[in-house]
Amino acid sequence: MNLTLPPLSLYIHIPWCVQKCPYCDFNSHAQKGAIPERDYIQHLLADLTQDLEHYRSAIGERKIHSIFIGGGTPSLFSADGIAYLLAEIEKRIAFAPNLEITLEANPGTAEAERFIGYAQGGVNRISMGIQSFEPEKLLKLGRIHDSQEARQAVSFAKHSANFGLRSFNVDLMHGLPNQSVAQALNDLRQAIELAPPHLSWYQLTIEPNTMFYYRQPTLPDDDELWDIFEQGHQLLTRAGYEQYETSAYAKKGFQCQHNLNYWRFGDYLAIGCGAHGKISYPTGEIYRFSKTKHPKGYMRGEYLYQQDLVEMADRPFEFFMNRFRLLEATPKAEFEGYTGLSQEIVRPTIDWALGKNYLSETTSHWQITQQGKLFLNELLQGFLE
């Protein structure tokens, strides 16, 4: 069995942040003293070199299609450090033409002023975690910036377009503690006024092992959450944003290419503390892997933590779990090419989903319907069985 190899991306995890937010379940560590930037970058490069050797026959002639530097707060690293890291990565593996390089950034003024430096160093997309414009909500979420700094950061991002920055994203949350429908929509209007090319607008969920999990705040009820989403979606659509994923909206041509590759069941190398990757071999094997979570272990050179084969039985669920987050149609040829399975394997589930009006179908594509989006968990459950 041969696989069609999907595009290859690279995820880089930088684990430090100024302080841990109470809703955050990402692998992040509050900064204590100076961040070992130079040493960590050398470990990232050693980790990548090891992966390129380990997965050489899977990577083949593929070039890096997109890079995402996430965290933590990667903008705690200097512009020179990020520029050096990107230049050294390109020495080890070729970059595709026009690849997208995203860096997550805090809207705090000191970091926002570095945007020009990041752009000059190769970053062409910035993603800013603004989350809310309301002082009380920012405090509750443990954010260390204020609304004025958020607006200032957007100005820096717009100015950085003169130095190579092609796009920027604003992260905004709704369904916050004690948030009314009017407050949520007011936050969204303020974000829209800043005219980011891309807007990630997602609902706060309480994740295990977070401060909010142990001290649960009062959140809006289901009716209020539905009103927020429905009215917010209309606001975004009228402002020229197109929803292309469950919680992602973009102006035409500004979708996040890195995230699209995740959701299209693409491959991605992953370096840094706790980073997760996926790689396909032309001979049919697909592996998911993760890296050592804690900086101490990682910086002893203990990079690979776990590697698991994606079994044939799990591939339909894994493929559709990603694909049906997107609103675009799913090519049947990609299901067969990327999983190595025949369409006939999922035919009973597809027929069931068609009968429930969760999907529509043409000779070449499957398309999730409005009904399917509302009952996404039930739809995906069908592929588990």
Side-chain angles (χ1 to χ4, degrees), residues 73-75 103-107 111 115 118 126-130 143:
T73 306
S75 54
L103 178 116
E104 284 188 334
N106 219 2
E111 291 162 54
F115 288 1
Y118 294 134
I126 293 274
S127 182
M128 289 176 274
I130 287 175
R143 305 301 288 168

Side-chain angles (χ1 to χ4, degrees), residues 15 20 43 45 47 51-52 74 76 78 95 121-122 147 153 193-194 220 239 249 282 304 342 346 364 370:
K20 184 87 172 174
H43 281 288
L45 294 170
D47 186 4
D51 276 0
L52 293 177
L76 291 175
S78 68
F95 287 0
S147 60
E193 279 170 19
L194 297 173
Y249 292 77
L304 184 64
S342 163
V346 293
S364 59
Q370 193 62 40

Side-chain angles (χ1 to χ4, degrees), residues 193-265:
E193 279 170 19
L194 297 173
H198 189 286
L199 217 162
S200 298
W201 187 55
Y202 53 98
Q203 183 188 322
L204 171 66
T205 53
I206 306 297
E207 303 291 350
N209 302 316
T210 61
M211 289 288 288
F212 276 176
Y213 182 77
Y214 297 111
R215 292 184 181 175
Q216 295 220 0
T218 304
L219 302 180
D221 64 30
D222 287 347
D223 287 342
E224 289 171 311
L225 289 171
W226 178 250
D227 287 343
I228 290 168
F229 172 75
E230 200 170 36
Q231 293 177 47
H233 179 77
Q234 289 169 8
L235 279 176
L236 285 158
T237 305
R238 283 199 299 270
Y241 291 91
E242 187 179 299
Q243 185 186 24
Y244 70 98
E245 185 269 335
T246 307
S247 55
Y249 292 77
K251 296 283 178 75
K252 196 168 181 62
F254 286 99
Q255 292 97 332
C256 176
Q257 296 305 306
H258 188 86
N259 284 345
L260 279 175
N261 194 39
Y262 284 159
W263 299 321
R264 289 171 176 162
F265 206 56

Side-chain angles (χ1 to χ4, degrees), residues 19-187:
Q19 66 180 33
K20 184 87 172 174
C21 297
Y23 58 86
C24 177
D25 71 332
F26 294 136
N27 184 35
S28 58
H29 301 266
Q31 178 183 354
K32 291 173 183 170
I35 292 172
E37 178 179 318
R38 186 177 296 181
D39 286 352
Y40 189 71
I41 286 172
Q42 293 307 321
H43 281 288
L44 288 173
L45 294 170
D47 186 4
L48 177 64
T49 301
Q50 201 173 89
D51 276 0
L52 293 177
E53 181 60 34
H54 185 66
Y55 298 115
R56 184 166 44 178
S57 63
I59 294 165
E61 297 301 309
R62 283 188 284 177
K63 297 178 179 181
I64 294 293
H65 161 88
S66 65
I67 296 175
F68 196 101
I69 307 171
T73 306
S75 54
L76 291 175
F77 274 32
S78 68
D80 286 347
I82 296 295
Y84 170 77
L85 173 63
L86 292 172
E88 289 297 313
I89 289 168
E90 194 172 10
K91 289 178 186 175
R92 290 160 173 78
I93 184 167
F95 287 0
N98 298 317
L99 90 160
E100 173 193 272
I101 303 178
T102 302
L103 178 116
E104 284 188 334
N106 219 2
T109 307
E111 291 162 54
E113 286 173 351
R114 295 178 179 175
F115 288 1
I116 290 171
Y118 294 134
Q120 289 172 326
V123 171
N124 53 35
R125 186 175 180 275
I126 293 274
S127 182
M128 289 176 274
I130 287 175
Q131 316 310 9
S132 177
F133 293 94
E134 219 173 285
E136 180 240 332
K137 297 291 183 271
L138 287 168
L139 196 64
K140 189 79 175 172
L141 292 172
R143 305 301 288 168
I144 57 169
H145 66 273
D146 59 31
S147 60
Q148 186 53 43
E149 285 176 316
R151 291 185 180 87
Q152 185 70 37
V154 169
S155 292
F156 280 124
K158 288 177 178 177
H159 181 58
S160 302
N162 301 320
F163 299 89
L165 201 71
R166 298 201 300 245
S167 182
F168 67 92
N169 168 63
V170 163
D171 263 5
L172 195 72
M173 299 171 83
H174 62 272
L176 303 180
N178 302 308
Q179 188 178 46
S180 67
V181 175
Q183 285 174 325
L185 296 176
N186 187 44
D187 259 354

Side-chain angles (χ1 to χ4, degrees), residues 299-356:
M299 292 178 74
R300 285 196 298 265
E302 300 160 8
Y303 305 133
L304 184 64
Y305 173 68
Q306 194 168 342
Q307 178 177 279
D308 298 302
L309 182 70
V310 181
E311 302 288 353
M312 287 293 187
D314 297 328
R315 291 185 190 183
F317 175 74
E318 289 231 4
F319 179 86
F320 289 114
M321 175 182 66
N322 288 283
R323 257 297 180 173
F324 287 157
R325 284 187 62 143
L326 291 172
L327 275 65
E328 67 182 21
T330 301
K332 295 177 180 179
E334 284 188 9
F335 172 76
E336 294 192 327
Y338 292 174
T339 67
L341 297 169
S342 163
Q343 291 175 43
E344 295 311 307
I345 294 280
V346 293
R347 192 71 249 172
T349 306
I350 294 291
D351 288 340
W352 163 81
L354 291 168
K356 301 275 277 186

